[in-house]
Amino acid sequence: MLDCIIKETAKKTDAAIIWMHGLGANGHDFADIVPELKLPKDAAIRFLFPHAPVMPVSVNNGYKMPAWFDIIHEDLEQEPDIEGIEKSSKLVAELIDAEIENGINSERILLVGFSQGGVLALHTAMRYNKKLAGAASLSAFYPTAHTMLMNAVNSKIPVFFGHGSHDNVLPVTLGQKAFDFLKLNGNPVEMHTYHMQHSVCLEELKALGAWVYRQLAA
């Protein structure tokens, strides 16, 4: 089981959000942003911020760092590490399983991720075998879209996309491609762009918080 930082907005929670960080970071990267989501006081959510495994990353000359999967080329769409994505996805699925065992209804569980974490959020959510509330992809893309199980229970879940219009690490065109794919698939999707680079901003977090609350209220 992945180690996680846990934050709760109430003593008794009835929903869960699993939030994956980006390459080279760890669960601390987003653990303090919960207040910036501006969630209503009645939102009783358990946040899990897992730490990615440490592994060699090819584009960084094999240097070991926290990563959800390998990056083989600077062109992120070339030879995506599908095996690595699937391996980490199984670890995230274990966290979902544990939340369900702890009494959280699967339809009140959301996956969120930034950059590599966003890839993992989309990949895992679309393939999980019990209905989830949705997924959010922040400054990410969807390299395994073509392998998506279109008849899976989560193939039509809502998805929030947030991206910087000046992202020089993962261009917004890649996020837009993922948005277009899922919109064509029939998913309820939202795309939000912000005047920033490969990062998040307060405006984005507030929009994400409003989206999260809508999904859980539904």
Side-chain angles (χ1 to χ4, degrees), residues 140 161 163 171-181 191 193:
F161 288 93
H163 218 115
V172 67
T173 52
L174 294 182
Q176 184 68 47
K177 184 182 291 188
F179 168 84
D180 292 341
F181 177 88
M191 181 75 183
T193 56

Side-chain angles (χ1 to χ4, degrees), residues 127-144:
R127 291 159 179 78
Y128 191 70
N129 59 9
K130 294 178 182 177
K131 187 68 181 294
L132 300 175
S137 169
L138 309 180
S139 301
F141 69 125
Y142 195 8
T144 59

Side-chain angles (χ1 to χ4, degrees), residues 117-166:
V119 172
L120 199 58
L122 291 177
H123 182 90
T124 307
M126 296 296 171
R127 291 159 179 78
Y128 191 70
N129 59 9
K130 294 178 182 177
K131 187 68 181 294
L132 300 175
S137 169
L138 309 180
S139 301
F141 69 125
Y142 195 8
T144 59
H146 64 287
T147 68
M148 198 173 91
L149 304 176
M150 295 300 182
N151 61 346
V153 67
N154 288 304
S155 63
K156 304 292 186 183
I157 58 172
V159 180
F160 176 101
F161 288 93
H163 218 115
S165 57
H166 300 289

Side-chain angles (χ1 to χ4, degrees), residues 23 55-60 62-63 67-73 76 79-85 116:
L23 178 66
M55 65 179 68
V57 176
S58 296
V59 293
N60 288 337
Y63 182 79
W68 297 110
F69 52 90
D70 192 17
I71 299 177
I72 301 169
H73 299 280
L76 296 175
E79 291 188 64
D81 179 19
I82 294 178
E83 182 179 348
I85 293 170
Q116 271 204 342

Side-chain angles (χ1 to χ4, degrees), residues 37-49:
L37 297 172
K38 305 298 181 185
L39 292 164
K41 292 182 179 180
D42 63 342
I45 303 173
R46 174 182 168 93
F47 285 83
L48 293 87
F49 300 94

Side-chain angles (χ1 to χ4, degrees), residues 174-194:
L174 294 182
Q176 184 68 47
K177 184 182 291 188
F179 168 84
D180 292 341
F181 177 88
L182 291 178
K183 183 177 181 180
L184 186 63
N185 184 55
N187 295 73
V189 289
E190 295 183 16
M191 181 75 183
H192 302 259
T193 56
Y194 302 92

